[in-house]
Amino acid sequence: MNTEIKKLQFKAYSRNQMMSPLKLRLVANLIRNKNAQIAIDELKFLNKKGSDIVLKVLESAVANANSLKGIDAKDLIVSSISVDGAPSRRGVRFASRSRVARLIKRRSHINLILSEK
C-alpha cells in the first residue's frame, strides 16, 4: 500500500495584471522553489518592474497560510508559480500620413502555490 503524506497547500492568484507575461516570468523564475521569507526579502530589493506585483501575490498567500492554519512564512516554500497570458487590450495610435498603428497591451494571470517544508 502506497502511503503519502499530504502537505498543506495555500494558493493565491492575481488576474488581469497590466504587464506582459515575459516581464513577470523573469521575476517568477527567481523565487520558484525558495523559502517564502527569503523570496519576500529578495523581491523587496529586486530592481524589476514586476517585482511589486509578484510580491503582493506572495504576501497574500503567506497571509492565507497564517490566517487559516497559523503557519509562519519561515515554514513555507514557493512550490509552484506560473504566469500565464490574459486577454490583451488592443487599441490604436495615430501615425503620420493619416495612418494608424495597432497597440497591443498585454496582460497576465499569476498563480502561486505555497506548501509546507
Side-chain angles (χ1 to χ4, degrees):
M1 179 179 278
N2 188 4
T3 59
E4 295 181 15
I5 299 173
K6 292 190 177 184
K7 295 181 179 180
L8 291 174
Q9 292 185 343
F10 304 98
K11 300 178 184 179
Y13 57 88
S14 178
R15 301 284 185 230
N16 292 322
Q17 287 295 321
M18 284 290 295
M19 189 169 292
S20 70
L22 182 67
K23 292 177 186 175
L24 286 173
R25 280 188 197 116
L26 290 173
V27 177
N29 290 337
L30 291 175
I31 65 167
R32 188 172 286 127
N33 297 327
K34 285 193 177 178
N35 189 340
Q37 186 62 46
I38 293 172
I40 288 172
D41 294 339
E42 286 182 4
L43 287 175
K44 284 182 181 177
F45 296 106
L46 187 64
N47 191 16
K48 287 279 186 192
K49 239 182 186 181
S51 63
D52 295 334
I53 298 170
V54 176
L55 178 64
K56 282 186 179 183
V57 177
L58 180 59
E59 286 177 342
S60 174
V62 169
N64 290 341
N66 196 2
S67 67
L68 292 176
K69 298 289 180 183
I71 300 172
D72 197 20
K74 298 172 192 170
D75 302 328
L76 296 170
I77 293 176
V78 180
S79 60
S80 76
I81 180 170
S82 65
V83 179
D84 304 320
S88 301
R89 192 189 77 182
R90 298 168 195 270
V92 295
R93 182 179 66 85
F94 297 108
S96 63
R97 296 185 299 180
S98 301
R99 290 181 298 144
V100 174
R102 292 290 304 248
L103 285 179
I104 299 175
K105 296 287 190 175
R106 301 194 186 277
R107 295 181 181 189
S108 304
H109 295 321
I110 304 170
N111 301 314
L112 185 124
I113 297 176
L114 293 178
S115 61
E116 287 183 307
K117 283 187 180 177

